[in-house]
Amino acid sequence: MLSTRKALLNLVAAAALGSLASSAFAVDIGDKQEAMKLKRLANLEETASTSAEFERIARLYKLRAEMLDEKVDRHQRLEKRYAAAPASLLAKRGTAWNTPKRQRQLARTAHKQAAEAREMATAYLAKADAALTAAD
C-alpha cells in the first residue's frame, strides 16, 4: 500500500516536471520559428517602440544567426559527404540539389544571411540603448 502511494506520487511529480519542461521547450521552439520568419521580424520592427521590444528583436536576430550558423555547418558536412560519393553517382545526379556544388552554394547563402542577422542584432541593441537613455 505504501509503495503504491509512493509510486503514484513519483508518477505525478514526474508528470508535473515534464509539463513544466515541455512548456519551456515550447516557448523556445516558438522563438526559433519566429526568428526564421523574416516577415514576422519585419512586423515586430515596424511596431517596436520601447527598449524591451528592441532588445527582443535583437535577441531574435541573434537566435536567427545561430540557427543559420548551424545550417552552414550542416551544408558543409553534406558537401563533404556528397564529394566522397562515387563519380558515377554524381554523374547521375547532374545538377540536382544533392551535389557538392549546391551544398557549397547553400552554405555561402546561409553564412551571408547569418552575418546580416548579426548586423541587425547589433543595430537593434543600439536602438534599445538609445531608447533606454532617451527614457531616462
Side-chain angles (χ1 to χ4, degrees):
M1 182 80 168
L2 184 60
S3 64
T4 308
R5 283 187 190 167
K6 190 174 182 179
L8 186 59
L9 285 174
N10 284 340
L11 182 64
V12 169
L17 186 61
S19 68
L20 286 174
S22 66
S23 65
F25 184 67
V27 169
D28 187 34
I29 288 174
D31 282 348
K32 284 185 176 184
Q33 289 175 346
E34 192 170 4
M36 290 307 285
K37 295 180 182 174
L38 289 175
K39 187 173 182 179
R40 177 67 180 136
L41 284 171
N43 287 340
L44 288 173
E45 292 169 14
E46 289 176 1
T47 60
S49 59
T50 66
S51 175
E53 290 171 344
F54 288 131
E55 287 176 2
R56 180 168 185 255
I57 293 170
R59 185 174 45 84
L60 288 173
Y61 271 113
K62 282 182 184 178
L63 182 61
R64 177 177 171 75
E66 290 171 9
M67 292 171 61
L68 287 167
D69 284 338
E70 292 171 7
K71 191 174 182 179
V72 168
D73 292 340
R74 187 173 56 248
H75 285 302
Q76 288 174 343
R77 281 193 313 268
L78 287 172
E79 178 189 353
K80 289 176 186 174
R81 186 170 119 197
Y82 295 147
S88 61
L89 184 59
L90 288 176
K92 265 191 223 179
R93 287 186 186 145
T95 57
W97 289 86
N98 292 333
T99 61
K101 181 180 176 183
R102 179 64 182 156
Q103 294 303 319
R104 207 171 20 256
Q105 289 172 345
L106 291 171
R108 256 194 314 265
T109 302
H111 185 68
K112 181 182 170 190
Q113 290 175 351
E116 291 171 357
R118 280 191 192 83
E119 289 174 12
M120 293 297 289
T122 305
Y124 277 101
L125 280 176
K127 281 186 181 183
D129 288 341
L132 188 61
T133 55
D136 290 341

